[in-house]
Amino acid sequence: MSAAERRESVLRAAQIGFGTGGYAGTTTEAIARRVGVSQPYLFRLFPSKKALFLATVERCFDSLRTLFDSTAGDLTGEEALAEMGRAYNALLDNREILQLQLQTWAVACQDDDVRQAARRGFSELWLQVQRISGADDQRVMMFMASGMLLNVFAALDLPRIKEQLGEALTGLS
């Protein structure tokens, strides 16, 4: 396995570990074990636990931007927002991604570096949604707020409410 493939494996394992155990509750030893590498090797890839967490957060935002680009395609306006919203809603069935997002916000409350990374990622996501859709700040705010509400509903495992509200849940109709 190449170093790039091993790095990606570590990031996947870190997403699961940090998502379920939180930043403070997850050890680099547990992440290394999950991947099948030594802790010293992990530290050759990432110089610290915080660097690994920050890389995992960045990877999560990168995945969202990739999802939005591929989902929207050539669409613009409300059609683009609707497709991105549907894709995001479906993504939240992946508990690993949801849990990492929630942990990111929690750690950002206490850690300036994570806060800055989360701000940067959120800002880039905001600008991407605006660029793709052509929506103004107010509409993008509504779209992003709907996504945060989806996070809460998914965290609370409220599938019945999702079924009852349908597209209205995403704030896109």
Side-chain angles (χ1 to χ4, degrees):
M1 184 179 292
S2 72
E5 292 169 329
R6 185 74 67 191
R7 186 178 196 281
E8 183 60 27
S9 293
V10 169
L11 287 171
R12 278 195 307 271
Q15 178 178 315
I16 294 166
F18 289 134
T20 56
Y23 178 71
T26 302
T27 65
T28 54
E29 178 62 34
I31 294 169
R33 240 190 343 265
R34 182 183 298 264
V35 179
V37 299
S38 68
Q39 192 174 23
Y41 182 81
L42 185 136
F43 283 122
R44 276 185 272 168
L45 296 173
F46 301 95
S48 66
K49 178 179 174 180
K50 184 185 274 188
L52 176 57
F53 186 77
L54 290 169
T56 306
V57 168
E58 183 178 318
R59 180 179 178 270
C60 185
F61 277 111
D62 288 346
S63 296
L64 289 173
R65 285 191 299 276
T66 299
L67 176 71
F68 283 176
D69 274 337
S70 65
T71 301
D74 293 331
L75 298 174
T76 59
E78 290 299 319
E79 291 172 328
L81 291 171
E83 287 305 312
M84 290 185 290
R86 275 190 276 282
Y88 186 75
N89 194 5
L91 178 72
L92 291 178
D93 289 335
N94 181 333
R95 299 299 283 180
E96 295 167 8
I97 291 171
L98 172 65
Q99 289 172 322
L100 180 64
Q101 286 183 13
L102 296 173
Q103 292 293 344
T104 298
W105 308 132
V107 176
C109 291
Q110 308 162 13
D111 187 288
D112 288 335
D113 295 328
V114 175
R115 184 177 311 116
Q116 289 303 317
R119 281 182 182 174
R120 186 173 45 256
F122 194 80
S123 175
E124 290 169 359
L125 198 58
W126 180 292
L127 292 172
Q128 179 193 29
V129 168
Q130 199 164 44
R131 176 185 49 79
I132 289 171
S133 68
D136 62 16
D137 283 339
Q138 190 70 21
R139 182 64 183 99
V140 174
M141 182 174 61
M142 190 169 99
F143 178 83
M144 300 297 266
S146 296
M148 290 299 206
L149 181 61
L150 284 171
N151 286 0
V152 171
F153 282 4
L156 298 176
D157 198 20
L158 296 173
R160 196 167 76 73
I161 290 176
K162 285 168 54 174
E163 292 167 10
Q164 290 172 344
L165 297 178
E167 286 301 310
L169 181 64
T170 63
L172 300 175
S173 59

